[in-house]
Amino acid sequence: MTLACIGIGVSRAIALGPAFLMKRHPIEVTPSWIKEHEVEAEIQRFRQALEAARQELQLVRTQIPSSTPPDIADFIDAHLLMLEDVTFTEAPLELIRNQLYRAEWALQVRRDAIVEVFESMDDPYLKTRKDDVNHVVIQIQKCLMRDGDEVHTSHEDITGHVIIAQDLSPADTILLRYRGVAAFVTEFGGPLSHTAILARSIGIPAVLGLRNATQYLQHGEMLVVDGEQGVVLASLDATILEAYHKRLGVYQIHKEGQRRLASKPSQSLDKVPIKLFANIELPEDIYQAIAYGAAGVGLYRTEFMYMNRGAVNPDEEEHLEAYLKVVRGLNGIPVTIRTLDLGADKQIINRDGLYYPPACNPALGLRAIRLCLKEPELFKPQIRAILRAAAYGPVRLMVPMLSNLNEIFAIRQIIEEAKQELHRDGLRFNADIPFGGMIEVPSAALCAYQFAKHLDFLSIGTNDLIQYTLAIDRVDEDVNYLFDPLHPAVLKLIRMTIVAGQRCNIPVTMCGEMAGEPRYTRILLGLGLRRFSMESNSILDVKEMICNSDISYLTRTIKSMRSHIAQGDTEVILEALNQSPIPP
Ligand code: PEP
Ligand code: MG
């Protein structure tokens, strides 16, 4: 009988493939002993496992693409160094020799002693170093238990497989991205998690938050992963398997056909032009944006430059180098560079080993522009680099997390100071750079008209706008179910922002995940949105929706359904709007 497991679907694709189980935790190690005559063989076994662990990590190291943020490689280098430390190479051997412990148990005992020392430390950074110890120990234990049910990914061909894991680290996801996997299924993670964003950006189906997936699903069994419905089907009978093979075939033909849309104009049936932009995180992402026919980059998230690199922040020249790669690569189409948005879900570890910026409640604390205004030495080099990059192509400067007008005035002042300094330093820059702000806090949306009077453009960040409007931590799995882009309060704030832009005659873009979800395209068009920015991979899905939509019909329908919107009957409205073909 077919087994259907329900999780959170985070990309629209479907896939069919054999399961590849990445079982990681917990590796159960129980006390066990050897006989005296087995000591030398046990020591030999331990040394072989150390060597195998080292080779595996080295292989991972060589597979990390050069575009990956430097710290992911640093992180693996640190683990390689730990594998050479006497704590792991010699100390367990004493326990094998003197106490006749089996190698796994000797290692575990050493691990427990080290972890206890880390845990007794007051310093939160050092406390977290115990995770590194655990990773290294697990890596060696996996090699010792190779003949158990542990499945390794390092050497095996995982092309076309469905990866089943408890969770995927950024390093795992980046590596898997290049190995042709068909889908991801994880036990943890929600729609805005790293794995979700990555799955969307590479356009493969993913079902996250599927509790106990690694227990229910078996290595090698054929699975269907439906990223749209958030369903994983196992123990498939022949009829279901055939039905999904057919569906997959139709889906692939549809995707092939959709490619042609990349070079077609983005406009509705009634010829209203709609601009579609890409969200990027690394300069290399522009190639995908161009391939999907993006009108430019609507959101360049720059936090990645600060993350995973230890204490040193990027200086002005490093910023400039990254921005110029993007500007030159885009060859005349615009890029909106967002200034640093550290804090909340995007924290780093600072030079004292503490989480930075510090806060009791990070989402409401010293985040994004608040941090930048408090620490101009962090902000200035970025502002100067953006002004300089704008001398080489159409660059717009955008600030996240605005919540009051004074912030806009303070930023303007810093921009003016930076211009004067650049002028004094004899450096080339663009004094007329457009300066815009993100609307992602309810206070900003409610005051959007006032904000719009002082800004050159607005961009709606729905990920945070929804979080702050509905009081739902965007990365807290327990409240994921309340994260509702169609909540009447959210739609009201979106509409207020769009109207503010229209009244002040400045462009309004949406760059949160909602903009890349074709289910919402028509309601957003009906609310007056004309500019969308999203993961490149979603551009053609949204474009297809736009090309099949009649905006005057959508506008009329939304108006006539105001009371449904206010009552939160939005699913009913979506159904009415998303019919295909659209009613005349
Ligand atoms: C948003 O909040 O919608 C947004 C685009 O910004 P980020 O996801 O980077 O916070
Ligand atoms: Mg945001």
Side-chain angles (χ1 to χ4, degrees):
M1 197 174 63
T2 301
L3 169 74
C5 309
I6 315 285
I8 303 162
V10 295
S11 63
R12 289 174 297 282
I14 52 168
L16 234 161
F20 194 102
L21 215 53
M22 285 178 67
K23 256 197 182 174
R24 211 178 259 139
H25 307 286
I27 287 188
E28 291 227 353
V29 180
T30 45
S32 54
W33 286 265
I34 49 170
K35 306 251 163 31
E36 215 159 336
H37 69 272
E38 290 172 331
V39 167
E40 281 319 307
E42 194 63 4
I43 287 177
Q44 181 71 355
R45 194 169 78 87
F46 180 70
R47 289 201 167 125
Q48 278 168 354
L50 269 182
E51 180 55 21
R54 201 182 56 76
Q55 283 182 14
E56 277 182 8
L57 271 179
Q58 230 143 24
L59 188 72
V60 169
R61 179 75 179 78
T62 57
Q63 287 170 341
I64 295 181
S66 56
S67 58
T68 306
D71 291 4
I72 288 179
D74 291 351
F75 177 70
I76 289 165
D77 285 343
H79 287 190
L80 275 166
L81 274 178
M82 285 169 86
L83 274 177
E84 281 167 23
D85 194 286
V86 285
T87 318
F88 297 112
T89 55
E90 296 303 323
L93 299 188
E94 284 168 26
L95 293 173
I96 297 173
R97 276 195 199 102
N98 302 335
Q99 311 285 334
L100 299 183
Y101 284 178
R102 192 164 284 292
E104 290 88 334
W105 180 237
L107 187 61
Q108 186 71 18
V109 169
R110 291 303 312 156
R111 173 221 161 264
D112 292 349
I114 301 166
V115 165
E116 200 177 318
V117 174
F118 277 118
E119 273 179 343
S120 66
M121 291 177 176
D122 285 336
D123 184 326
Y125 172 71
L126 288 177
K127 261 189 175 163
T128 62
R129 293 307 84 206
K130 76 171 193 305
D131 295 344
D132 290 318
V133 174
N134 274 332
H135 279 136
V136 171
V137 167
I138 287 170
Q139 189 84 22
I140 306 168
Q141 283 175 335
K142 282 194 298 186
C143 295
L144 283 166
M145 299 165 149
R146 175 87 357 129
D147 45 349
D149 66 354
E150 185 66 17
V151 177
H152 292 261
T153 60
S154 317
H155 318 289
E156 297 180 45
D157 182 7
I158 50 173
T159 314
H161 283 71
V162 175
I163 300 294
I164 316 287
Q166 286 192 324
D167 203 359
L168 291 170
S169 69
D172 286 333
T173 17
I174 283 170
L175 289 179
L176 291 170
R177 170 182 187 166
Y178 295 92
R179 293 181 60 190
V181 300
F184 295 126
V185 177
T186 62
E187 296 187 351
F188 300 102
L192 298 177
S193 66
H194 189 95
T195 318
I197 291 179
L198 198 94
R200 271 193 291 270
S201 92
I202 52 179
I204 69 169
V207 174
L208 309 186
L210 203 160
R211 295 297 152 106
N212 301 320
T214 56
Q215 284 167 36
Y216 294 141
L217 304 172
Q218 286 177 21
H219 186 68
E221 74 171 324
M222 197 52 132
L223 300 177
V224 166
V225 180
D226 187 333
E228 174 130 43
Q229 308 293 333
V231 175
V232 177
L233 300 176
S235 309
L236 303 164
D237 65 37
T239 330
I240 293 206
L241 200 56
E242 199 193 321
Y244 267 96
H245 266 301
K246 273 201 191 128
R247 218 178 120 186
L248 192 60
V250 171
Y251 173 80
Q252 278 160 350
I253 290 168
H254 175 77
K255 281 279 155 194
E256 289 295 312
Q258 217 186 33
R259 297 239 158 87
R260 272 179 271 130
L261 271 181
S263 55
K264 296 249 162 72
S266 170
Q267 61 179 22
S268 63
L269 286 172
D270 48 344
K271 304 272 183 287
V272 180
I274 306 295
K275 293 243 185 211
L276 299 180
F277 299 93
N279 292 352
I280 66 164
E281 287 167 358
L282 296 171
E284 291 75 13
D285 295 342
I286 57 170
Y287 302 110
Q288 210 189 5
I290 294 167
Y292 285 108
V297 169
L299 168 64
Y300 176 7
R301 290 184 168 102
T302 56
E303 299 73 64
F304 282 81
M305 257 189 277
Y306 294 77
M307 287 175 168
N308 304 317
R309 58 182 291 148
V312 192
N313 287 328
D315 63 11
E316 180 176 327
E317 295 306 318
E318 190 176 338
H319 277 289
L320 183 64
E321 193 186 326
Y323 304 157
L324 286 184
K325 261 192 219 159
V326 173
V327 172
R328 292 194 170 121
L330 288 176
N331 201 15
I333 60 172
V335 51
T336 301
I337 304 178
R338 179 178 75 181
T339 59
L340 183 59
D341 182 17
L342 274 193
D345 56 314
K346 309 180 190 84
Q347 278 186 299
I348 58 171
I349 306 259
N350 75 0
R351 69 178 74 83
D352 304 319
L354 299 172
Y355 278 109
Y356 178 79
C360 314
N361 187 342
L364 303 182
L366 200 57
R367 182 189 162 184
I369 191 58
R370 301 169 181 185
L371 174 71
C372 290
L373 287 176
K374 181 150 186 265
E375 299 192 14
E377 68 286 2
L378 185 72
F379 198 31
K380 252 310 176 44
Q382 183 172 36
I383 295 288
R384 283 174 53 113
I386 297 174
L387 285 164
R388 288 173 67 188
Y392 296 84
V395 172
R396 312 192 312 163
L397 186 158
M398 179 164 82
V399 178
M401 271 285 286
L402 290 172
S403 60
N404 67 63
L405 271 183
N406 286 335
E407 287 165 340
I408 299 179
F409 304 144
I411 300 158
R412 276 226 183 268
Q413 196 178 331
I414 292 177
I415 296 176
E416 285 315 310
E417 279 167 25
K419 285 181 192 168
Q420 282 167 19
E421 287 169 17
L422 289 170
H423 184 68
R424 209 181 44 224
D425 297 345
L427 293 166
R428 223 177 126 195
F429 67 98
N430 178 3
D432 297 322
I433 188 169
F435 162 41
M438 287 189 71
I439 302 295
E440 42 186 356
V441 176
S443 65
L446 291 165
C447 299
Y449 177 60
Q450 295 304 324
F451 281 35
K453 285 204 266 184
H454 297 279
L455 290 167
D456 300 315
F457 62 92
L458 302 178
S459 192
I460 309 173
T462 46
N463 306 340
D464 280 310
L465 186 61
I466 298 168
Q467 151 165 275
Y468 292 123
T469 305
L470 305 181
I472 294 156
D473 185 335
R474 60 191 263 189
V475 291
D476 184 336
E477 290 160 26
D478 291 332
V479 288
N480 262 341
Y481 72 102
L482 290 169
F483 195 88
D484 179 12
L486 302 177
H487 190 291
V490 173
L491 294 182
K492 208 178 242 184
L493 294 176
I494 292 173
R495 173 70 187 155
M496 286 178 85
T497 309
I498 294 170
V499 170
Q502 288 166 348
R503 284 176 68 197
C504 295
N505 204 17
I506 63 166
V508 176
T509 309
M510 177 179 285
C511 63
E513 296 294 304
M514 188 178 182
E517 176 51 70
R519 228 162 75 85
Y520 304 139
T521 305
R522 283 183 174 162
I523 192 162
L524 293 171
L525 290 171
L527 288 170
L529 191 71
R530 299 294 176 263
R531 299 162 66 98
F532 298 64
S533 191
M534 64 201 80
E535 297 292 336
S536 296
N537 234 303
S538 300
I539 290 179
L540 296 184
D541 287 334
V542 171
K543 192 169 187 177
E544 188 175 16
M545 204 66 178
I546 289 167
C547 294
N548 287 316
S549 297
D550 182 305
I551 291 190
S552 51
Y553 165 80
L554 294 174
T555 314
R556 279 196 317 275
T557 310
I558 294 279
K559 275 193 186 134
S560 69
M561 295 183 109
R562 265 194 201 132
S563 61
H564 288 274
I565 292 183
Q567 283 164 28
D569 294 339
T570 37
E571 286 297 337
V572 177
I573 301 166
L574 274 192
E575 213 164 283
L577 292 177
N578 286 346
Q579 289 175 51
S580 195
I582 192 143

